[in-house]
Amino acid sequence: MSQRTKKNEPMARKSKQIILPHLNDCNGDVTKKWYVEYTVQHPQICTRIYDGFEKLSSANQRYAFADILIQEYTDKLNSGWRPYSLPLVEYEDALVYPDLTKMF
């Protein structure tokens, strides 16, 4: 028996804190931009690493380079490193919203 309260109500998906690095190889097409991507929640950060791929002309070179990046970032993420652990810059929003201020 389903634990959903309504018949057509979707079940909630379990969210992942980290999606480990993986390669987008554009189906092996070296004329397109390849990248390694990973995602970290809190705050939601999706990072794509493009640097380095454009210098490599063959698919085999790009796959080897991607393996190195994937291993490096997987090790960092598994050891507790997070891209948002760097100091966050706070700023003051100096915009004035005249229509909203009239409402209150």
Side-chain angles (χ1 to χ4, degrees):
M1 180 106 207
S2 173
Q3 293 191 14
R4 293 181 285 175
T5 56
K6 296 181 182 175
K7 184 177 181 180
N8 294 324
E9 183 179 324
M11 293 180 67
R13 294 183 184 197
K14 186 176 181 179
S15 67
K16 295 182 180 181
Q17 293 297 315
I18 297 173
I19 298 174
L20 291 174
H22 57 278
L23 172 66
N24 180 340
D25 67 356
C26 302
N27 293 319
D29 187 346
V30 295
T31 64
K32 295 185 177 177
K33 279 192 153 188
W34 290 29
Y35 59 88
V36 169
E37 178 178 51
Y38 64 90
T39 303
V40 180
Q41 285 190 341
H42 184 74
Q44 178 84 21
I45 296 174
C46 179
T47 302
R48 291 182 177 172
I49 305 164
Y50 292 96
D51 295 340
F53 287 103
E54 69 282 348
K55 295 182 273 182
L56 306 171
S57 58
S58 76
N60 285 340
Q61 290 173 319
R62 290 182 177 206
Y63 285 120
F65 180 66
D67 288 343
I68 293 168
L69 284 177
I70 290 169
Q71 187 62 55
E72 177 185 338
Y73 281 91
T74 298
D75 291 346
K76 287 170 76 169
L77 289 164
N78 284 336
S79 71
W81 173 85
R82 299 295 180 264
Y84 56 82
S85 63
L86 301 173
L88 296 176
V89 176
E90 291 186 29
Y91 65 94
E92 184 178 330
D93 188 355
L95 293 176
V96 177
Y97 302 96
D99 292 338
L100 291 176
T101 56
K102 289 179 185 176
M103 294 172 63
F104 298 104

